[in-house]
Amino acid sequence: MELSILQIILLASLIVVVLVLPLAVHKVEENLEAFLFACGAFAVTVSHVWSGHLILTALKDPIKITLAVLIAGLLFRKFNTQLQKLTKKAVKAIGLRWTLFLIVLILGITSSVITAIIAALVLAEVAVMLPLERASRIKLVTFSCYAIGMGAVLTAIGEPLGTVVISKLAGPPHNAGFFYLIQHLGWFVVGGILFMAGMASSIRAEEQRAPGAKAAEMGSDSTVKGIAIRAGKVYLFVMALTFLGDGLKPLAMKTITHLSAGWLYWINMLSAVLDNATLAAIEVTPAINDRTLTFLLMSLVISGGMLIPGNIPNIICASKLGIKSKEWVKAAFGLGIVLMIAFFVLLSAVL
């Protein structure tokens, strides 16, 4: 669809608002789900893309994620004591640094099989049981979410991004199958996961604290009511991102569909606030070459870790642990910029 100048200005301004307001206004940060829902509704209205199908999709898409959060929350509540004992045994047996390293490595590598959602749910539960101060725990969570986001892209079942890409490239000339993304991104992703695991293991000793801190310190509520409320917030969050993605899709199609690999790489930092599967659906076509595909996918999975709305693992962990937007940015944004630059140089040299 053709956008007017006014529509382009409004949608571009909305992106700025989504990026800035959660960091600048405390009330917005406290009610992030409702804020993003309002932004999504505004984007859909400006783009004139309201439809029964969109509303049905927005109501249906969050159901699986919400049920996973709800069921996992209840299961973890039931087996909380056993999980605490297992975590303490791991720390005692191999030390905190190796425990942190293995948490990030294992969740990152297995997220393509167990899905990013399950990996994030496990992370959120284990994180509150480790002997870490709040700032250190937030670092661990952001490092892990980067790793999960990278690992989950390697198969069609890890997260929607992989599903979209393999579906769009299933025919000639790519003939993408189950192992297609592993073949193209495997070494880059494994390298990224190992780097994030190393970052987690380097948390300084003075940031640690004695074991046994209460989960409430991180905003965790293990009551049935708390678990239900958290699942409801995740539902609203995912619904909001569905509206936001569809509402901004016309602007994305108008501005980024014909860009080169280098330009796509940096433009895809929009994945920090937009669903990366939506951007992939716009950018990936059978005509895409392997070099451009690698550039755009790595930029999507890296930038998705920068802000809370960028990825489902971020949303789940931030909701479970009460991590605020400013706290996430402090721990993750600068690291994301460094990763973007490093991978851009690496991909330019190798490809």
Side-chain angles (χ1 to χ4, degrees):
M1 64 172 289
E2 279 298 318
L3 293 176
S4 67
I5 298 296
L6 178 60
Q7 287 175 303
I8 292 172
I9 292 172
L10 288 174
L11 292 175
S13 300
L14 180 65
I15 293 174
V16 176
V17 167
V18 170
L19 286 170
V20 173
L21 250 60
L23 305 177
V25 180
H26 182 68
K27 282 289 185 183
V28 171
E29 185 181 39
E30 289 290 319
N31 300 280
L32 187 60
E33 298 86 2
F35 166 72
L36 288 176
F37 184 86
C39 290
F42 179 79
V44 172
T45 301
V46 169
S47 298
H48 305 308
V49 293
W50 282 111
S51 68
H53 175 72
L54 172 59
I55 294 172
L56 185 62
T57 300
L59 291 171
K60 184 178 68 175
D61 279 0
I63 291 176
K64 289 182 180 179
I65 297 172
T66 304
L67 286 175
V69 171
L70 181 62
I71 294 169
L74 294 172
L75 286 174
F76 284 129
R77 180 175 183 267
K78 181 176 177 62
F79 298 105
N80 182 269
T81 303
Q82 292 90 327
L83 191 58
Q84 280 190 12
K85 290 179 180 177
L86 183 62
T87 304
K88 288 180 180 179
K89 283 182 180 179
V91 173
K92 187 175 181 180
I94 62 176
L96 181 62
R97 287 195 169 189
W98 276 108
T99 301
L100 299 180
F101 181 91
L102 289 174
I103 286 171
V104 177
L105 179 65
I106 292 170
L107 291 178
I109 294 295
T110 61
S111 61
S112 62
V113 178
I114 65 174
T115 76
I117 296 171
I118 299 301
L121 290 169
V122 173
L123 169 64
E125 293 297 330
V126 172
V128 297
M129 298 174 183
L130 292 164
L132 297 171
E133 295 284 2
R134 180 181 177 88
S136 297
R137 188 174 284 107
I138 292 173
K139 287 181 183 179
L140 170 64
V141 168
T142 55
F143 297 157
S144 300
C145 284
Y146 270 117
I148 291 169
M150 292 181 193
V153 75
L154 292 179
T155 70
I157 61 176
E159 65 166 326
L161 174 59
T163 307
V164 168
V165 173
I166 290 177
S167 173
K168 297 200 78 172
L169 301 181
H174 299 276
N175 299 310
F178 186 83
F179 297 103
Y180 180 80
L181 292 174
I182 296 176
Q183 293 168 355
H184 283 78
L185 302 176
W187 289 114
F188 299 115
V189 165
V190 170
I193 293 172
L194 283 170
F195 176 76
M196 300 318 303
M199 290 290 292
S201 70
S202 68
I203 292 175
R204 292 179 297 171
E206 58 265 30
E207 292 179 347
Q208 299 170 16
R209 54 129 192 228
K214 294 179 180 178
E217 185 180 294
M218 286 295 295
S220 175
D221 184 353
S222 59
T223 65
V224 174
K225 181 182 177 181
I227 293 168
I229 291 173
R230 186 162 58 248
K233 286 184 176 182
V234 169
Y235 183 94
L236 184 61
F237 212 134
V238 177
M239 181 189 287
L241 292 182
T242 300
F243 283 137
L244 194 62
D246 273 57
L248 292 174
K249 191 172 183 178
L251 178 64
M253 293 183 71
K254 184 176 181 64
T255 55
I256 66 178
T257 48
H258 303 294
L259 295 176
S260 65
W263 279 105
L264 278 175
Y265 185 89
W266 294 107
I267 289 293
N268 278 343
M269 285 181 67
L270 286 172
S271 179
V273 294
L274 286 179
D275 176 35
N276 53 27
T278 298
L279 289 172
I282 296 168
E283 297 169 2
V284 176
T285 67
I288 196 169
N289 60 57
D290 291 343
R291 180 176 186 272
T292 301
L293 179 66
T294 303
F295 265 85
L296 76 87
L297 289 180
M298 288 308 300
S299 65
L300 287 175
V301 297
I302 293 169
S303 55
M306 291 182 176
L307 300 175
I308 291 174
N311 226 335
I312 287 297
N314 310 359
I315 295 167
I316 291 172
C317 291
S319 175
K320 163 73 177 174
L321 303 177
I323 302 174
K324 304 302 181 186
S325 296
K326 290 180 182 177
E327 293 176 311
W328 193 281
V329 168
K330 184 178 179 181
F333 192 82
L335 174 61
I337 295 296
V338 171
L339 284 172
M340 289 289 289
I341 295 171
F343 269 97
F344 183 79
V345 173
L346 176 63
L347 293 174
S348 298
V350 173
L351 303 178

